[in-house]
Amino acid sequence: DTGVSQDPRHKITKRGQNVTFRCDPISEHNRLYWYRQTLGQGPEFLTYFQNEAQLEKSRLLSDRFSAERPKGSFSTLEIQRTEQGDSAMYLCASSSGRNNEQFFGPGTRLTVL
Amino acid sequence: AQKVTQAQTEISVVEKEDVTLDCVYETRDTTYYLFWYKQPPSGELVFLIRRNSFDEQNEISGRYSWNFQKSTSSFNFTITASQVVDSAVYFCALSEEDSWGKLQFGAGTQVVVTP
């Protein structure tokens, strides 16, 4: 399977714990995006990378959120001191250019108890 | 402010009926891109179409067609002769010149096709 992959697919954690998600983009894609989707809503942009450079961060991305793409390949999204409001589906996407279609992964569903 | 509005929350049709999904967008940019994505019950977003602001030609792909009208800032999507497999949530999205690559999604329209 050469699509975008995300790990884990599901994560249940207790409030206050830290969690980290991983995204592996399509191999030749230089752009990688993170979105968050809550029930009944469209995905909301969080941040994106071009190669290893993080080019934009949404105001939704509080200080508790950090994303990295150290070698321009896979990316991680960490949430520190999780809150119940962080419960959502976290989606990763990649593209081969700035206006090309973004291919989405299956998402990581986070539940904060 | 919401830049992409999908006013229809849910549309229910019987198989073989046509269904049109509305999308209205808002931007001050002259160059922008519009997209449609499908999210089936499995959850993974599937790309359907990309259209740039300079190309107002309507497009048809099989049973899918898109009507882009800059004058009304609309990019509507029609499924002809719907099938049960078309049941999904459909999202319209906008990418603007000052933030290329960042997709701004509407709230989505749930399409339910019954046999």
Side-chain angles (χ1 to χ4, degrees), chain A:
Chain A
D1 187 348
T2 57
V4 178
S5 62
Q6 293 186 245
D7 184 70
R9 296 291 305 277
H10 302 274
K11 178 71 176 179
I12 299 174
T13 191
K14 292 182 179 179
R15 190 176 52 186
Q17 298 294 304
N18 299 343
V19 294
T20 300
F21 310 141
R22 176 179 170 126
C23 171
D24 286 89
I26 294 172
S27 59
E28 62 268 24
H29 286 182
N30 61 346
R31 285 196 163 210
L32 186 147
Y33 310 82
W34 285 99
Y35 293 84
R36 180 173 68 186
Q37 186 177 22
T38 53
L39 200 61
Q41 299 298 316
E44 295 174 296
F45 171 81
L46 293 178
T47 188
Y48 83 88
F49 293 83
Q50 180 165 305
N51 300 313
E52 65 274 13
Q54 188 173 18
L55 296 186
E56 186 172 347
K57 291 171 59 174
S58 164
R59 284 188 292 263
L60 292 174
L61 218 63
S62 75
D63 291 345
R64 297 184 298 105
F65 288 71
S66 62
E68 294 182 343
R69 194 183 183 198
K71 296 183 180 179
S73 56
F74 72 91
S75 174
T76 57
L77 177 68
E78 181 182 15
I79 309 174
Q80 296 181 328
R81 305 181 303 281
T82 52
E83 301 172 356
Q84 288 185 326
D86 297 331
S87 295
M89 177 75 85
Y90 290 83
L91 297 168
C92 177
S94 70
S95 71
S96 60
R98 63 180 192 174
N99 289 317
N100 292 348
E101 57 268 33
Q102 296 180 21
F103 293 87
F104 282 80
T108 295
R109 181 168 295 284
L110 172 66
T111 302
V112 182
L113 301 176

